[in-house]
Amino acid sequence: MSAQPSVPDVDNATLEDRLYTVKYEDPGDSHLDVKVPGFCAERCDTDDCIDVCPAGVWQQTDDGVPQIAYENCLECGSCRFACPLNNVVWEYPENGAGVTYRHG
Ligand code: SF4
Ligand code: SF4
C-alpha cells in the first residue's frame, strides 16, 4: 500500500489564515493584464474576474477597467477562464518568482 500524504498541521480556519501560509516573491512586473481595456469598460457586464479570484487580486475601479494587485496572485488560473470575453492576459511570473506553497 502506498503512503498517504501527510496533512499539514496548520490552523487554517479562515481564508486569511490559509493565505498566511503562502509565500510570495514579487516578480517586479505584472504577469496579469487585460488584453483590451475597452472591452472591460464598454462590453463587459460581469465582474467575473473579480468574483472568481480567491486572493482579491482584481479590484473594481470607477472606469470599469479592473485594477490588478498581481503581487497577491495564487496562480490558480481561474480569472483566465472566468472572463467571458477572453480578455485576460495570464502568464507565469518570470524567473521562478511568484507564489510558493509551504505545505505542498
Ligand atoms: S471579466 Fe474580463 S472583460 Fe470583464 S472586467 Fe474582468 S477582465 Fe474585463
Ligand atoms: S490566477 Fe487565481 S489568484 Fe491569480 S489573479 Fe487569477 S483568479 Fe486570482
Side-chain angles (χ1 to χ4, degrees), residues 32 52-55 57-58 73-79 90:
L32 305 167
V52 79
C53 179
V57 170
W58 298 78
C73 177
L74 299 171
E75 298 168 27
C76 71
S78 301
C79 54
W90 198 102

Side-chain angles (χ1 to χ4, degrees), residues 39-48 84-85:
F39 283 7
C40 301
E42 292 154 26
R43 295 196 195 174
C44 184
D45 57 3
T46 79
D47 291 325
D48 288 349
L85 301 179

